Amino acid sequence: MLDLSKNDPSKIADVGYEFNVILPDGTETDAKITVRGANSPAVKTFSRKVQAELKVREQAAKRKGKEDDMNMDEAEEMLSRAAAVRVIGWKGIAEDGKEIPFSKDEAERVLLKYPFIREQVLEESNSILNFRHE
């Protein structure tokens, strides 16, 4: 029998999934990041908020007779925010030999500065196979 309540993607996604960060050269590190799944209510709320912001921005540009062209810096910042909302916590992340304590602001900064980490966060969060009922 399929018990849907035990397989609710929203609940499972909020539990989180921990993965080891992989360097751009393919080396697996001992640094760990725990992410929410894409079906998490927090991620969905963030996505709706961004979508609404983009719509307002597009409408404002249309009123001025322009197209809303997002520049690369803005796109990277938005991707970093989208990744940061998925991060629940981390262990073993350091910069210049000093451990970086996890916070929302630090997550946004790190994910903007180090896109290889941001890409992994988004990939692991989007993989439904990482969020299965055990």
Side-chain angles (χ1 to χ4, degrees):
M1 179 182 313
L2 172 62
D3 187 339
L4 294 175
S5 64
K6 289 184 179 178
N7 292 283
D8 181 346
S10 295
K11 290 178 185 174
I12 296 169
D14 258 350
V15 172
Y17 173 77
E18 185 178 78
F19 69 93
N20 288 69
V21 176
I22 298 173
L23 296 175
D25 69 3
T27 305
E28 185 172 321
T29 70
D30 60 355
K32 297 183 182 299
I33 298 178
T34 305
V35 294
R36 295 177 174 86
N39 288 313
S40 161
V43 174
K44 286 181 174 183
T45 297
F46 174 82
S47 296
R48 282 190 289 273
K49 179 182 171 197
V50 167
Q51 197 170 26
E53 288 172 7
L54 290 174
K55 189 172 184 176
V56 167
R57 182 178 163 148
E58 181 182 330
Q59 289 171 343
K62 278 184 181 178
R63 281 193 299 272
K64 294 177 183 176
K66 299 179 180 179
E67 284 190 34
D68 181 29
D69 291 331
M70 183 178 287
N71 67 40
M72 190 63 151
D73 290 339
E74 291 171 317
E76 291 224 356
E77 185 180 322
M78 184 173 292
L79 273 175
S80 296
R81 287 177 39 222
V85 76
R86 297 163 190 248
V87 177
I88 296 171
W90 63 43
K91 301 175 205 162
I93 304 274
E95 203 171 37
D96 296 322
K98 184 178 175 189
E99 189 154 347
I100 304 170
F102 173 77
S103 72
K104 181 181 181 277
D105 290 340
E106 280 298 319
E108 286 184 21
R109 183 188 70 75
V110 167
L111 296 171
L112 181 61
K113 187 171 181 180
Y114 302 98
F116 75 95
I117 299 174
R118 178 179 65 226
E119 290 166 9
Q120 290 173 65
V121 164
L122 292 169
E123 182 179 328
E124 297 294 345
S125 174
N126 286 331
S127 176
I128 196 160
L129 294 177
N130 290 336
F131 301 92
R132 293 178 287 182
H133 179 68
E134 301 284 333

